[in-house]
Amino acid sequence: MAKTKYRYVCQSCGYESAKWLGKCPECGTWDSLVEEAETVQKSRSYLPTSNEKIKPRTIESVAQVEVTRLATGIGEFDRVLGGGIVPGSLVLLGGTPGIGKSTILLDAALKFGQNNIKTLYISGEESEEQTAMRAVRLAKGRTSKELLIMTATDLDAILVQASAINPKLIIIDSIQTMYNPELQTAAGSVGQVRECTAKLLQFAKTTGIAVLIIGHVTKDGTIAGPRLLEHMVDVVLQFEGDRSYSFRILRALKNRFGSTNESGIFSMEAGGLEEVANPAGLFLEDREKDATGSVITASLEGNRPILVEVQALVSKTPYGMPRRTAVGFDYNRVNMLLAVLERHLHMDFGVFDAYVNIVGGMKINEPAADLAVATALVSSLRNKAIPTGTLVIGELGLTGEVRRVGNLERRIQDAINLGFTRFVVPDSKIMMNNPKVDIIKVKTLAQALKFIFG
């Protein structure tokens, strides 16, 4: 008998080594290499045979068949997908535990069933009774015979049942619980996740059945398993939010059939996830007026502006080294903005702690919030409130200039609809003529603070 060969594979990045290492040289993770048995594949001859049916064709010879997307019935979900799920596609949904991944896909499966679209929901983490109990709660008793549920982890058995049932959509919850009997490794290992995903991809492309898989994420927010997993699938969705709040955001990190600039906003309620069709003023409901260190800005989530409250607190430090804390905003960018304020406006933050918070559990990644964060820091330092009805937008450069941002007119228009009348924005061409609003164009940070505080 041939001797079985073993290798050590990093469970974080998929790096392979002939011997065990305490630290992965590829990603730097400690104690992540796990022993796996090597799978020996038979060599295949690539010489042409007489019964070879697959041959290359020109683009003109391929039939131009219009693809009909499968609409989930959840408007925000369809928006992120680009109009619905493409038949034969493989979609990966990632998110932290308890964020609502299973809830949104089970809700989508119920909507498909109610629209007479046969759907197969596979759970490797819950029994059929538990899945049915959640489905009845989400559907409020209006279930459909077109939705079939099954508890299984053997991928071969799942594909056999899928071939017999022939649904239009398969949902796998989750890919980390699936295992391929051909591999002698535990479920959830890098090899199992990679091979199971490859098998599902081949099944989806050959049968035309769309497959949605749920993937867990690591502590740093990336999808668990090798990065190859994200390259194999057609669509990568990220479901994120703060579990302390009810709001959830669905983003497309990769989409071969649509734009990656769209996002969907949801609210976790007692009956499941509810769509938020107009999220512009969603995070301003409990805002206290005339509060120091509080500024409103317009952040883009996909192509839609959302008005968020930026709060800052500057207090004298009792320690020798001042603290810098940022929640929902880039920590390094806060340090950069403090340096700009000290260098160009001669404000001394060296003896003050500085805290920045984005209200509502939101996370702002775009630089258009720079001017709002800097204004909030100055407001807290001077103990002077920003006038009510003022919106601040702009990116700050290291020389103190205020730079342009995208979709400025759309941000202003949504703020006007919510009652804002005073805008401090970068100096750019704005085709808006509204005598009821005051649009102040500034070129530098000093000009902006002068207009805001007088």
Side-chain angles (χ1 to χ4, degrees), residues 88-273:
S89 62
L90 182 61
V91 181
L92 173 63
L93 174 64
T96 56
I99 203 67
K101 304 184 298 296
S102 301
T103 301
I104 189 173
L105 288 191
L106 184 56
D107 191 15
L110 289 166
K111 295 288 197 315
F112 277 122
Q114 293 170 3
N115 293 331
N116 295 323
I117 297 176
K118 185 177 289 187
T119 306
L120 178 61
Y121 187 94
I122 309 294
S123 176
E125 302 175 349
E126 294 180 315
S127 64
E128 295 177 357
E129 291 76 12
Q130 292 172 331
T131 305
M133 183 173 60
R134 286 199 304 117
V136 170
R137 178 176 60 88
L138 290 174
K140 298 179 177 62
R142 299 190 304 270
T143 57
S144 172
K145 294 183 180 180
E146 295 297 325
L147 173 60
L148 305 175
I149 60 175
M150 185 174 71
T151 298
T153 56
D154 188 341
L155 188 60
D156 287 346
I158 292 171
L159 296 183
V160 168
Q161 292 297 326
S163 300
I165 298 171
N166 193 26
K168 291 187 177 181
L169 176 68
I170 300 175
I171 299 176
I172 305 292
D173 183 12
S174 64
I175 190 62
Q176 275 79 15
T177 60
M178 301 293 123
Y179 75 93
N180 187 352
E182 299 175 2
L183 301 181
Q184 301 177 3
T185 54
S189 63
V190 171
Q192 286 284 1
V193 172
R194 181 177 60 245
E195 294 301 324
C196 288
T197 305
K199 213 165 189 177
L200 287 171
L201 178 64
Q202 183 182 11
F203 178 81
K205 300 304 179 185
T206 54
T207 61
I209 300 174
V211 180
L212 271 74
I213 58 177
I214 293 177
H216 299 308
V217 297
T218 59
K219 59 183 180 181
D220 60 349
T222 59
I223 298 175
R227 299 293 295 183
L228 178 64
L229 187 64
E230 299 182 29
H231 294 286
M232 294 168 62
V233 300
D234 298 311
V235 182
V236 179
L237 303 178
Q238 185 82 6
F239 206 37
E240 58 188 39
D242 194 332
R243 295 180 64 179
S244 303
Y245 299 91
S246 61
F247 306 112
R248 304 288 188 267
I249 299 175
L250 181 67
R251 290 191 175 96
L253 305 182
K254 171 187 175 182
N255 192 352
R256 289 174 178 165
F257 314 114
S259 172
T260 57
N261 295 326
E262 293 291 350
S263 64
I265 313 295
F266 297 87
S267 177
M268 181 66 77
E269 305 296 342
L273 287 169

Side-chain angles (χ1 to χ4, degrees), residues 6 9 16 70 72 105 149 208 374 397 451-452:
Y6 294 91
V9 182
E16 298 180 4
L70 304 176
T72 63
L105 288 191
I149 60 175
F451 281 116
I452 293 173

